[in-house]
Amino acid sequence: MKKQAWENTEFPVLCETCLGESPYIRMTKSLFKKACKICNRPFNVFKWRPGPNSRFKRTEICQTCSKMKNVCQTCLLDLEYGLPVEVRDKFLEQSNPIEIPKETVNKDYWAQMMTSNIDKIELPYSKEISDSALEKVMRKGAKYERNIPHICSFYVRGECTRGELCPYRHEIPKTDLPKQDLKDRYLGVNDPVAAKILKGVQEVRAPEPPADPTVTTLFIGGINDTISEKDLSTALGSYGKVKSVKIMYRQSCAFVNFDKRDAAELAITSLHMKFFLKNIRLKVLWAKSQADTGHLRQKFGEKVNSELLVPSPYPAPYTPAIDPLEEQREEVKAEKQKVKKVDFKPPPPKMPPPQKAFDPFS
């Protein structure tokens, strides 16, 4: 590959965490010191220390590969959400949209074309995407604790003799994550950190439709006085014909009955966790079926309160616990008030007897 195709940049593409908390840092620049671990092209390597108690960091991939995936050149995390590529692509439903050739000749030509046309290419990550589930797992703010020195492997084995002069941490690792391959992290495959994040995250999915096919009614929670039946009918009419709309302002909810089951399923799939009306976020669920209503009548009697049939979108109000000794305390308090108070008056002080006045002429 010709030297003209090598990447020569003046400043790296970094996230806020890798750049560090200090506004004054000293950064060294080495011209074409290493090859990019993705496209194998020589590029300028930058090295710096983010803070006084941090380890030295350097760029691992070239700037072209960084812009293609919208990731940091050092940690390879997304610049907007702070997440691994695998987690971000999973929530954005994009499975490796940018393919890199495997052959050396094709890879060099691909990298050269991308470098020259990087500003003209419409990248999938440059668009503004609002995903409620992705916003819940995104990492907000800088995490400067990621810049601390690594754990000393000699200390773990009990062989470190440098003591306080050792630039690494003298700690025992709490969890053992398998070694991460830089190329797999960039491509979004076999990433143990991403697997750990996805394991603890429950994806937001639309609720399963009820088994009764005759149910075509949706429950809308979070209703207030500013929303009318006409507003709901207009907002949900694009998914199918709406037969009736009933709002219960006391319970802050509404029931929307569709003409067909397919229209109700399309509405709840499209609007689950994404239904906003007059700048108010509304909750969309399936209403109770007739079979569930019969079960409630058998359990609570013939007269079933309408509140039992409404899945409340808010937690139950706080009710303080009843103290069994409260009545006894009130009785004791009342008896104390009945006792007559005796006013104690101290005796008057004893005055000394009057003395005869002194007469100087006697």
Side-chain angles (χ1 to χ4, degrees), residues 1 5 7 9 13 35-43 59-74 76-79 85 88 96 98-101 107-108 110-116 118 121 123-125 182-183 185-187:
M1 183 170 51
E7 185 181 85
T9 55
V13 177
C36 175
K37 297 183 179 180
I38 305 300
C39 63
N40 297 330
R41 290 187 310 158
F43 72 105
T59 53
E60 302 291 345
I61 62 176
C62 67
Q63 197 168 116
T64 301
C65 295
S66 170
K67 291 181 178 179
M68 294 300 294
K69 285 280 190 176
N70 194 35
V71 295
C72 175
Q73 284 188 253
T74 301
L76 271 68
L77 296 178
D78 184 79
L79 294 174
V85 175
R88 179 198 62 186
N96 196 16
I98 302 174
E99 296 182 357
I100 301 176
K107 185 185 296 184
D108 295 342
W110 173 86
Q112 184 177 355
M113 294 300 297
M114 288 297 176
T115 303
S116 57
I118 188 65
I121 301 175
L123 301 176
Y125 310 109
L182 195 67
K183 201 165 187 178
R185 289 178 56 194
Y186 181 83
L187 298 177

Side-chain angles (χ1 to χ4, degrees), residues 245-265:
V245 178
K246 184 179 181 181
I247 297 180
M248 305 171 65
Y249 290 107
R250 186 176 180 181
Q251 284 80 16
S252 301
C253 67
F255 292 93
V256 180
N257 187 12
F258 285 88
D259 188 26
K260 295 182 180 180
R261 172 66 173 262
D262 297 339
E265 293 181 359

Side-chain angles (χ1 to χ4, degrees), residues 100-295:
I100 301 176
K102 297 181 180 180
E103 293 78 9
T104 305
V105 178
N106 295 338
K107 185 185 296 184
D108 295 342
Y109 177 76
W110 173 86
Q112 184 177 355
M113 294 300 297
M114 288 297 176
T115 303
S116 57
N117 302 318
I118 188 65
D119 297 331
K120 303 178 183 178
I121 301 175
E122 186 178 357
L123 301 176
Y125 310 109
S126 60
K127 302 177 182 178
E128 294 184 0
I129 303 173
S130 59
D131 190 280
S132 58
L134 187 59
E135 291 177 356
K136 290 183 179 180
V137 298
M138 68 179 296
R139 299 174 179 176
K140 299 180 181 179
K143 306 293 182 182
Y144 298 123
E145 58 270 14
R146 296 208 320 257
N147 298 330
I148 59 178
H150 294 297
I151 295 178
C152 179
S153 59
F154 289 91
Y155 176 80
V156 175
R157 298 195 301 265
E159 301 175 359
C160 184
T161 58
R162 289 181 286 187
E164 296 181 356
L165 298 177
C166 183
Y168 300 96
R169 286 185 295 150
H170 284 187
E171 296 179 5
I172 302 298
K174 298 179 181 180
T175 58
D176 295 332
L177 282 176
K179 292 185 178 180
Q180 306 175 36
D181 185 73
L182 195 67
K183 201 165 187 178
D184 289 344
R185 289 178 56 194
Y186 181 83
L187 298 177
V189 293
N190 301 327
D191 189 354
V193 177
K196 184 178 179 181
I197 295 176
L198 293 173
K199 185 178 179 180
V201 174
Q202 296 180 355
E203 297 185 24
V204 180
R205 297 179 179 178
E208 295 294 333
D212 189 359
T214 60
V215 178
T216 58
T217 305
L218 297 183
F219 166 83
I220 311 296
I223 300 292
N224 60 12
D225 298 339
T226 61
I227 299 176
S228 63
E229 295 181 356
K230 185 178 180 181
D231 296 333
L232 287 175
S233 180
T234 305
L236 299 175
S238 58
Y239 300 98
K241 185 179 179 181
V242 178
K243 292 177 62 177
S244 63
V245 178
K246 184 179 181 181
I247 297 180
M248 305 171 65
Y249 290 107
R250 186 176 180 181
Q251 284 80 16
S252 301
C253 67
F255 292 93
V256 180
N257 187 12
F258 285 88
D259 188 26
K260 295 182 180 180
R261 172 66 173 262
D262 297 339
E265 293 181 359
L266 179 61
I268 195 171
T269 304
S270 304
L271 299 177
H272 183 64
M273 303 295 294
K274 303 176 183 178
F275 192 19
F276 290 87
L277 190 60
K278 293 186 176 181
N279 297 328
I280 301 173
R281 186 173 183 174
L282 303 178
K283 189 174 184 179
V284 185
L285 296 172
W286 285 100
K288 296 289 184 179
S289 62
Q290 294 294 332
D292 297 334
T293 305
H295 173 70

